[in-house]
Amino acid sequence: MDLDAYSAAHADEWDRLDALARRRRFAGRDADDLIDHYQAAATHLSAISTTAGDVPQRERLSVALSRARLRFTGAQAEPLAQLARYATREVPAALHRIRYLTLVIAVVFSVVATLYALWIGSTPEVLASLGDYESLRRYAEQDFVNYYSESSEASFAGQVWVNNAWIAAQCVAFGISGFWVPVVVLQNAQGVGQSAAIMAEFGRLDVFFLNIAPHGQLELYCIFVAAAAGLMIFWSWVAPGSRTRLQALAEDGRALFAVIGGLVVGLLVSGIVEGFVTRQEWPDVIRIGIGSLALAWFLWLQWIVGRAAARDGETGDLDPISRGARVVVAG
């Protein structure tokens, strides 16, 4: 590389980057220019470092890039505005990215739970292996319903939230392994199928569904979302596309933090429904209706609000540089 010729060819671009990086406010095209010049200068710095090593031009570019980077990471909106953006843009966009995979997991879960319940219900030996007749009868006639009123509403809601959050956390944290998500999904599907089979054996399948439906709609859907998020991370490692594997993991991992935000709230709502609504002796249509409204809210957030955010260019990625001019203008 002819370093002098290379520097002369790109001097105007570097001057423009330095001038933009020194500004405190941006408007219109200037914000986009900062993004473009930052990306170009990063490429130039890489080329100089590779071929020429530690030279004055490299030092100059490093300083300009550092200053420009501060314009991204240092441009902070008001805390309430940031929180509003996170809740109404980043979280819905991240959830929207995995909407179809969420549905696939929901279908797989339902099929496995149904087949498992049918297998247990039609095979007396398997049903007997789950416990003696008296224990199974007590579970169907007493324990299943009493479970929802063993402790106070607030205590039970918190306990359920923690338990479900732990399941979701496993899907997210170990999703990159590729096998942990299927294990968690199948284990929970088998558990639901087993409970349904025992309740059906004693003619109380209606009680099963009437007590699962209020909270279970949103609760299970959140688990499906967590599973989809875990598989998204796994797939970014297996098939990164034009990105490097580390780059794909970093980008999709950042988006995953927005998914976690949605899951925390979703599971909190389902826990509140389970703790305060499921146990009530209200008409079934009211209890199930409340659960359906909770699920409808989450689906609206994922499919409607998320689609609008994605259409506007929101990716759910929390990296300030990849969000580009939107962050800079906010400063």
Side-chain angles (χ1 to χ4, degrees), residues 53-83:
D54 190 8
V55 294
Q57 290 88 338
R58 178 181 180 277
E59 182 65 23
R60 174 192 175 188
L61 265 184
S62 296
V63 172
L65 286 169
S66 296
R67 186 176 291 118
R69 192 178 299 114
L70 288 175
R71 300 305 301 129
F72 296 111
T73 58
Q76 299 293 329
E78 293 296 327
L80 290 179
Q82 287 182 307
L83 180 60

PDB file of all heavy atoms in Angstrom, residues 53-83:
ATOM      1  N   GLY A  53       0.823  -0.861   9.915  1.00  0.00           N
ATOM      2  CA  GLY A  53       1.100  -0.918  11.338  1.00  0.00           C
ATOM      3  C   GLY A  53       0.823   0.389  12.058  1.00  0.00           C
ATOM      4  O   GLY A  53      -0.097   1.135  11.712  1.00  0.00           O
ATOM      5  N   ASP A  54       1.658   0.694  13.038  1.00  0.00           N
ATOM      6  CA  ASP A  54       1.452   1.872  13.879  1.00  0.00           C
ATOM      7  C   ASP A  54       2.073   3.100  13.210  1.00  0.00           C
ATOM      8  O   ASP A  54       3.280   3.376  13.335  1.00  0.00           O
ATOM      9  CB  ASP A  54       2.084   1.635  15.249  1.00  0.00           C
ATOM     10  CG  ASP A  54       1.695   2.713  16.239  1.00  0.00           C
ATOM     11  OD1 ASP A  54       0.828   3.544  15.905  1.00  0.00           O
ATOM     12  OD2 ASP A  54       2.252   2.720  17.359  1.00  0.00           O
ATOM     13  N   VAL A  55       1.243   3.846  12.480  1.00  0.00           N
ATOM     14  CA  VAL A  55       1.679   5.040  11.757  1.00  0.00           C
ATOM     15  C   VAL A  55       0.805   6.216  12.172  1.00  0.00           C
ATOM     16  O   VAL A  55      -0.271   6.027  12.753  1.00  0.00           O
ATOM     17  CB  VAL A  55       1.588   4.818  10.225  1.00  0.00           C
ATOM     18  CG1 VAL A  55       2.575   3.749   9.784  1.00  0.00           C
ATOM     19  CG2 VAL A  55       0.164   4.431   9.829  1.00  0.00           C
ATOM     20  N   PRO A  56       1.221   7.438  11.903  1.00  0.00           N
ATOM     21  CA  PRO A  56       0.415   8.610  12.314  1.00  0.00           C
ATOM     22  C   PRO A  56      -1.006   8.582  11.763  1.00  0.00           C
ATOM     23  O   PRO A  56      -1.947   9.016  12.445  1.00  0.00           O
ATOM     24  CB  PRO A  56       1.226   9.782  11.750  1.00  0.00           C
ATOM     25  CG  PRO A  56       2.625   9.281  11.710  1.00  0.00           C
ATOM     26  CD  PRO A  56       2.529   7.827  11.357  1.00  0.00           C
ATOM     27  N   GLN A  57      -1.178   8.123  10.540  1.00  0.00           N
ATOM     28  CA  GLN A  57      -2.517   8.075   9.953  1.00  0.00           C
ATOM     29  C   GLN A  57      -3.430   7.144  10.766  1.00  0.00           C
ATOM     30  O   GLN A  57      -4.625   7.410  10.920  1.00  0.00           O
ATOM     31  CB  GLN A  57      -2.447   7.599   8.494  1.00  0.00           C
ATOM     32  CG  GLN A  57      -1.821   8.586   7.531  1.00  0.00           C
ATOM     33  CD  GLN A  57      -0.306   8.436   7.450  1.00  0.00           C
ATOM     34  OE1 GLN A  57       0.336   7.912   8.361  1.00  0.00           O
ATOM     35  NE2 GLN A  57       0.260   8.902   6.343  1.00  0.00           N
ATOM     36  N   ARG A  58      -2.857   6.069  11.246  1.00  0.00           N
ATOM     37  CA  ARG A  58      -3.640   5.135  12.056  1.00  0.00           C
ATOM     38  C   ARG A  58      -4.071   5.796  13.356  1.00  0.00           C
ATOM     39  O   ARG A  58      -5.230   5.639  13.793  1.00  0.00           O
ATOM     40  CB  ARG A  58      -2.807   3.896  12.353  1.00  0.00           C
ATOM     41  CG  ARG A  58      -3.506   2.858  13.235  1.00  0.00           C
ATOM     42  CD  ARG A  58      -2.588   1.681  13.502  1.00  0.00           C
ATOM     43  NE  ARG A  58      -3.258   0.693  14.329  1.00  0.00           N
ATOM     44  CZ  ARG A  58      -3.349   0.748  15.643  1.00  0.00           C
ATOM     45  NH1 ARG A  58      -2.817   1.781  16.292  1.00  0.00           N
ATOM     46  NH2 ARG A  58      -3.970  -0.199  16.324  1.00  0.00           N
ATOM     47  N   GLU A  59      -3.155   6.528  13.986  1.00  0.00           N
ATOM     48  CA  GLU A  59      -3.491   7.214  15.232  1.00  0.00           C
ATOM     49  C   GLU A  59      -4.582   8.251  15.009  1.00  0.00           C
ATOM     50  O   GLU A  59      -5.515   8.383  15.811  1.00  0.00           O
ATOM     51  CB  GLU A  59      -2.234   7.875  15.792  1.00  0.00           C
ATOM     52  CG  GLU A  59      -2.447   8.586  17.124  1.00  0.00           C
ATOM     53  CD  GLU A  59      -2.803   7.633  18.240  1.00  0.00           C
ATOM     54  OE1 GLU A  59      -2.484   6.427  18.131  1.00  0.00           O
ATOM     55  OE2 GLU A  59      -3.417   8.086  19.227  1.00  0.00           O
ATOM     56  N   ARG A  60      -4.487   8.969  13.891  1.00  0.00           N
ATOM     57  CA  ARG A  60      -5.486  10.000  13.598  1.00  0.00           C
ATOM     58  C   ARG A  60      -6.863   9.377  13.421  1.00  0.00           C
ATOM     59  O   ARG A  60      -7.859   9.872  13.965  1.00  0.00           O
ATOM     60  CB  ARG A  60      -5.086  10.742  12.324  1.00  0.00           C
ATOM     61  CG  ARG A  60      -6.142  11.746  11.856  1.00  0.00           C
ATOM     62  CD  ARG A  60      -5.863  12.241  10.464  1.00  0.00           C
ATOM     63  NE  ARG A  60      -6.942  13.107   9.994  1.00  0.00           N
ATOM     64  CZ  ARG A  60      -7.036  13.568   8.738  1.00  0.00           C
ATOM     65  NH1 ARG A  60      -6.103  13.260   7.843  1.00  0.00           N
ATOM     66  NH2 ARG A  60      -8.050  14.332   8.393  1.00  0.00           N
ATOM     67  N   LEU A  61      -6.911   8.283  12.671  1.00  0.00           N
ATOM     68  CA  LEU A  61      -8.201   7.634  12.447  1.00  0.00           C
ATOM     69  C   LEU A  61      -8.756   7.052  13.739  1.00  0.00           C
ATOM     70  O   LEU A  61      -9.973   7.103  13.979  1.00  0.00           O
ATOM     71  CB  LEU A  61      -8.049   6.525  11.397  1.00  0.00           C
ATOM     72  CG  LEU A  61      -8.370   6.895   9.955  1.00  0.00           C
ATOM     73  CD1 LEU A  61      -8.262   5.668   9.070  1.00  0.00           C
ATOM     74  CD2 LEU A  61      -9.757   7.495   9.837  1.00  0.00           C
ATOM     75  N   SER A  62      -7.907   6.481  14.563  1.00  0.00           N
ATOM     76  CA  SER A  62      -8.369   5.895  15.826  1.00  0.00           C
ATOM     77  C   SER A  62      -9.034   6.940  16.712  1.00  0.00           C
ATOM     78  O   SER A  62     -10.082   6.700  17.312  1.00  0.00           O
ATOM     79  CB  SER A  62      -7.191   5.255  16.579  1.00  0.00           C
ATOM     80  OG  SER A  62      -6.654   4.181  15.847  1.00  0.00           O
ATOM     81  N   VAL A  63      -8.414   8.124  16.778  1.00  0.00           N
ATOM     82  CA  VAL A  63      -8.979   9.201  17.593  1.00  0.00           C
ATOM     83  C   VAL A  63     -10.322   9.650  17.030  1.00  0.00           C
ATOM     84  O   VAL A  63     -11.298   9.849  17.778  1.00  0.00           O
ATOM     85  CB  VAL A  63      -7.993  10.388  17.658  1.00  0.00           C
ATOM     86  CG1 VAL A  63      -8.655  11.595  18.331  1.00  0.00           C
ATOM     87  CG2 VAL A  63      -6.731   9.986  18.406  1.00  0.00           C
ATOM     88  N   ALA A  64     -10.393   9.821  15.700  1.00  0.00           N
ATOM     89  CA  ALA A  64     -11.645  10.264  15.075  1.00  0.00           C
ATOM     90  C   ALA A  64     -12.755   9.241  15.283  1.00  0.00           C
ATOM     91  O   ALA A  64     -13.907   9.599  15.567  1.00  0.00           O
ATOM     92  CB  ALA A  64     -11.422  10.517  13.586  1.00  0.00           C
ATOM     93  N   LEU A  65     -12.408   7.974  15.149  1.00  0.00           N
ATOM     94  CA  LEU A  65     -13.411   6.921  15.340  1.00  0.00           C
ATOM     95  C   LEU A  65     -13.873   6.848  16.795  1.00  0.00           C
ATOM     96  O   LEU A  65     -15.056   6.639  17.067  1.00  0.00           O
ATOM     97  CB  LEU A  65     -12.851   5.568  14.889  1.00  0.00           C
ATOM     98  CG  LEU A  65     -12.735   5.364  13.374  1.00  0.00           C
ATOM     99  CD1 LEU A  65     -11.924   4.113  13.064  1.00  0.00           C
ATOM    100  CD2 LEU A  65     -14.120   5.263  12.743  1.00  0.00           C
ATOM    101  N   SER A  66     -12.949   7.019  17.719  1.00  0.00           N
ATOM    102  CA  SER A  66     -13.329   7.000  19.132  1.00  0.00           C
ATOM    103  C   SER A  66     -14.267   8.148  19.457  1.00  0.00           C
ATOM    104  O   SER A  66     -15.262   7.982  20.172  1.00  0.00           O
ATOM    105  CB  SER A  66     -12.071   7.094  20.007  1.00  0.00           C
ATOM    106  OG  SER A  66     -11.256   5.966  19.828  1.00  0.00           O
ATOM    107  N   ARG A  67     -13.948   9.315  18.917  1.00  0.00           N
ATOM    108  CA  ARG A  67     -14.811  10.475  19.148  1.00  0.00           C
ATOM    109  C   ARG A  67     -16.199  10.257  18.531  1.00  0.00           C
ATOM    110  O   ARG A  67     -17.224  10.592  19.129  1.00  0.00           O
ATOM    111  CB  ARG A  67     -14.152  11.722  18.575  1.00  0.00           C
ATOM    112  CG  ARG A  67     -14.917  13.010  18.886  1.00  0.00           C
ATOM    113  CD  ARG A  67     -14.181  14.225  18.372  1.00  0.00           C
ATOM    114  NE  ARG A  67     -12.941  14.458  19.140  1.00  0.00           N
ATOM    115  CZ  ARG A  67     -11.723  14.429  18.610  1.00  0.00           C
ATOM    116  NH1 ARG A  67     -11.558  14.170  17.327  1.00  0.00           N
ATOM    117  NH2 ARG A  67     -10.665  14.664  19.367  1.00  0.00           N
ATOM    118  N   ALA A  68     -16.226   9.682  17.325  1.00  0.00           N
ATOM    119  CA  ALA A  68     -17.511   9.404  16.672  1.00  0.00           C
ATOM    120  C   ALA A  68     -18.305   8.365  17.448  1.00  0.00           C
ATOM    121  O   ALA A  68     -19.531   8.458  17.578  1.00  0.00           O
ATOM    122  CB  ALA A  68     -17.277   8.930  15.240  1.00  0.00           C
ATOM    123  N   ARG A  69     -17.586   7.383  17.986  1.00  0.00           N
ATOM    124  CA  ARG A  69     -18.277   6.333  18.739  1.00  0.00           C
ATOM    125  C   ARG A  69     -18.960   6.906  19.974  1.00  0.00           C
ATOM    126  O   ARG A  69     -20.043   6.471  20.369  1.00  0.00           O
ATOM    127  CB  ARG A  69     -17.275   5.253  19.145  1.00  0.00           C
ATOM    128  CG  ARG A  69     -17.926   3.971  19.685  1.00  0.00           C
ATOM    129  CD  ARG A  69     -16.889   2.915  20.013  1.00  0.00           C
ATOM    130  NE  ARG A  69     -16.136   2.552  18.828  1.00  0.00           N
ATOM    131  CZ  ARG A  69     -14.830   2.789  18.670  1.00  0.00           C
ATOM    132  NH1 ARG A  69     -14.148   3.414  19.618  1.00  0.00           N
ATOM    133  NH2 ARG A  69     -14.218   2.413  17.574  1.00  0.00           N
ATOM    134  N   LEU A  70     -18.335   7.908  20.568  1.00  0.00           N
ATOM    135  CA  LEU A  70     -18.956   8.552  21.717  1.00  0.00           C
ATOM    136  C   LEU A  70     -20.253   9.257  21.340  1.00  0.00           C
ATOM    137  O   LEU A  70     -21.146   9.421  22.169  1.00  0.00           O
ATOM    138  CB  LEU A  70     -17.985   9.561  22.342  1.00  0.00           C
ATOM    139  CG  LEU A  70     -16.801   8.971  23.112  1.00  0.00           C
ATOM    140  CD1 LEU A  70     -15.868  10.077  23.567  1.00  0.00           C
ATOM    141  CD2 LEU A  70     -17.297   8.162  24.297  1.00  0.00           C
ATOM    142  N   ARG A  71     -20.350   9.698  20.098  1.00  0.00           N
ATOM    143  CA  ARG A  71     -21.584  10.332  19.660  1.00  0.00           C
ATOM    144  C   ARG A  71     -22.728   9.325  19.636  1.00  0.00           C
ATOM    145  O   ARG A  71     -23.884   9.670  19.827  1.00  0.00           O
ATOM    146  CB  ARG A  71     -21.417  10.948  18.263  1.00  0.00           C
ATOM    147  CG  ARG A  71     -20.346  12.009  18.171  1.00  0.00           C
ATOM    148  CD  ARG A  71     -20.556  13.142  19.186  1.00  0.00           C
ATOM    149  NE  ARG A  71     -21.846  13.793  19.008  1.00  0.00           N
ATOM    150  CZ  ARG A  71     -22.719  14.002  19.976  1.00  0.00           C
ATOM    151  NH1 ARG A  71     -22.456  13.627  21.209  1.00  0.00           N
ATOM    152  NH2 ARG A  71     -23.864  14.601  19.724  1.00  0.00           N
ATOM    153  N   PHE A  72     -22.392   8.028  19.395  1.00  0.00           N
ATOM    154  CA  PHE A  72     -23.424   6.989  19.437  1.00  0.00           C
ATOM    155  C   PHE A  72     -23.743   6.607  20.872  1.00  0.00           C
ATOM    156  O   PHE A  72     -24.884   6.668  21.311  1.00  0.00           O
ATOM    157  CB  PHE A  72     -22.957   5.743  18.682  1.00  0.00           C
ATOM    158  CG  PHE A  72     -22.749   5.941  17.215  1.00  0.00           C
ATOM    159  CD1 PHE A  72     -21.476   5.918  16.671  1.00  0.00           C
ATOM    160  CD2 PHE A  72     -23.819   6.154  16.370  1.00  0.00           C
ATOM    161  CE1 PHE A  72     -21.277   6.093  15.325  1.00  0.00           C
ATOM    162  CE2 PHE A  72     -23.629   6.340  15.018  1.00  0.00           C
ATOM    163  CZ  PHE A  72     -22.358   6.304  14.487  1.00  0.00           C
ATOM    164  N   THR A  73     -22.691   6.191  21.585  1.00  0.00           N
ATOM    165  CA  THR A  73     -22.930   5.660  22.922  1.00  0.00           C
ATOM    166  C   THR A  73     -23.222   6.744  23.942  1.00  0.00           C
ATOM    167  O   THR A  73     -23.831   6.489  24.964  1.00  0.00           O
ATOM    168  CB  THR A  73     -21.702   4.866  23.396  1.00  0.00           C
ATOM    169  OG1 THR A  73     -20.557   5.741  23.379  1.00  0.00           O
ATOM    170  CG2 THR A  73     -21.439   3.696  22.475  1.00  0.00           C
ATOM    171  N   GLY A  74     -22.814   7.980  23.644  1.00  0.00           N
ATOM    172  CA  GLY A  74     -23.031   9.059  24.594  1.00  0.00           C
ATOM    173  C   GLY A  74     -24.299   9.829  24.376  1.00  0.00           C
ATOM    174  O   GLY A  74     -24.701  10.619  25.202  1.00  0.00           O
ATOM    175  N   ALA A  75     -24.963   9.610  23.223  1.00  0.00           N
ATOM    176  CA  ALA A  75     -26.188  10.356  22.939  1.00  0.00           C
ATOM    177  C   ALA A  75     -27.353   9.703  23.639  1.00  0.00           C
ATOM    178  O   ALA A  75     -27.916   8.735  23.152  1.00  0.00           O
ATOM    179  CB  ALA A  75     -26.433  10.402  21.441  1.00  0.00           C
ATOM    180  N   GLN A  76     -27.695  10.191  24.793  1.00  0.00           N
ATOM    181  CA  GLN A  76     -28.730   9.575  25.601  1.00  0.00           C
ATOM    182  C   GLN A  76     -29.987  10.430  25.630  1.00  0.00           C
ATOM    183  O   GLN A  76     -29.924  11.640  25.826  1.00  0.00           O
ATOM    184  CB  GLN A  76     -28.230   9.386  27.036  1.00  0.00           C
ATOM    185  CG  GLN A  76     -27.014   8.489  27.140  1.00  0.00           C
ATOM    186  CD  GLN A  76     -27.317   7.064  26.764  1.00  0.00           C
ATOM    187  OE1 GLN A  76     -28.446   6.595  26.965  1.00  0.00           O
ATOM    188  NE2 GLN A  76     -26.353   6.374  26.221  1.00  0.00           N
ATOM    189  N   ALA A  77     -31.094   9.777  25.437  1.00  0.00           N
ATOM    190  CA  ALA A  77     -32.363  10.469  25.557  1.00  0.00           C
ATOM    191  C   ALA A  77     -32.754  10.532  27.029  1.00  0.00           C
ATOM    192  O   ALA A  77     -32.083   9.983  27.895  1.00  0.00           O
ATOM    193  CB  ALA A  77     -33.433   9.729  24.754  1.00  0.00           C
ATOM    194  N   GLU A  78     -33.815  11.207  27.322  1.00  0.00           N
ATOM    195  CA  GLU A  78     -34.314  11.246  28.686  1.00  0.00           C
ATOM    196  C   GLU A  78     -34.668   9.825  29.132  1.00  0.00           C
ATOM    197  O   GLU A  78     -35.138   9.014  28.326  1.00  0.00           O
ATOM    198  CB  GLU A  78     -35.548  12.131  28.755  1.00  0.00           C
ATOM    199  CG  GLU A  78     -35.261  13.601  28.497  1.00  0.00           C
ATOM    200  CD  GLU A  78     -34.360  14.205  29.577  1.00  0.00           C
ATOM    201  OE1 GLU A  78     -34.486  13.758  30.741  1.00  0.00           O
ATOM    202  OE2 GLU A  78     -33.540  15.072  29.255  1.00  0.00           O
ATOM    203  N   PRO A  79     -34.444   9.498  30.418  1.00  0.00           N
ATOM    204  CA  PRO A  79     -34.715   8.134  30.883  1.00  0.00           C
ATOM    205  C   PRO A  79     -36.118   7.650  30.566  1.00  0.00           C
ATOM    206  O   PRO A  79     -36.306   6.510  30.137  1.00  0.00           O
ATOM    207  CB  PRO A  79     -34.474   8.249  32.402  1.00  0.00           C
ATOM    208  CG  PRO A  79     -33.484   9.350  32.538  1.00  0.00           C
ATOM    209  CD  PRO A  79     -33.835  10.341  31.455  1.00  0.00           C
ATOM    210  N   LEU A  80     -37.126   8.502  30.773  1.00  0.00           N
ATOM    211  CA  LEU A  80     -38.497   8.081  30.490  1.00  0.00           C
ATOM    212  C   LEU A  80     -38.697   7.848  29.000  1.00  0.00           C
ATOM    213  O   LEU A  80     -39.414   6.918  28.599  1.00  0.00           O
ATOM    214  CB  LEU A  80     -39.485   9.124  31.009  1.00  0.00           C
ATOM    215  CG  LEU A  80     -39.599   9.242  32.533  1.00  0.00           C
ATOM    216  CD1 LEU A  80     -40.599  10.332  32.912  1.00  0.00           C
ATOM    217  CD2 LEU A  80     -40.027   7.899  33.131  1.00  0.00           C
ATOM    218  N   ALA A  81     -38.053   8.668  28.170  1.00  0.00           N
ATOM    219  CA  ALA A  81     -38.166   8.482  26.728  1.00  0.00           C
ATOM    220  C   ALA A  81     -37.486   7.188  26.300  1.00  0.00           C
ATOM    221  O   ALA A  81     -37.980   6.460  25.436  1.00  0.00           O
ATOM    222  CB  ALA A  81     -37.548   9.674  26.000  1.00  0.00           C
ATOM    223  N   GLN A  82     -36.345   6.876  26.920  1.00  0.00           N
ATOM    224  CA  GLN A  82     -35.654   5.623  26.619  1.00  0.00           C
ATOM    225  C   GLN A  82     -36.507   4.432  27.009  1.00  0.00           C
ATOM    226  O   GLN A  82     -36.599   3.442  26.264  1.00  0.00           O
ATOM    227  CB  GLN A  82     -34.324   5.580  27.362  1.00  0.00           C
ATOM    228  CG  GLN A  82     -33.256   6.502  26.793  1.00  0.00           C
ATOM    229  CD  GLN A  82     -31.954   6.353  27.553  1.00  0.00           C
ATOM    230  OE1 GLN A  82     -31.915   6.470  28.782  1.00  0.00           O
ATOM    231  NE2 GLN A  82     -30.884   6.086  26.835  1.00  0.00           N
ATOM    232  N   LEU A  83     -37.110   4.499  28.184  1.00  0.00           N
ATOM    233  CA  LEU A  83     -37.950   3.401  28.653  1.00  0.00           C
ATOM    234  C   LEU A  83     -39.149   3.217  27.736  1.00  0.00           C
ATOM    235  O   LEU A  83     -39.520   2.080  27.400  1.00  0.00           O
ATOM    236  CB  LEU A  83     -38.415   3.680  30.082  1.00  0.00           C
ATOM    237  CG  LEU A  83     -39.310   2.606  30.721  1.00  0.00           C
ATOM    238  CD1 LEU A  83     -38.565   1.281  30.787  1.00  0.00           C
ATOM    239  CD2 LEU A  83     -39.748   3.050  32.118  1.00  0.00           C
TER     240      LEU A  83
END
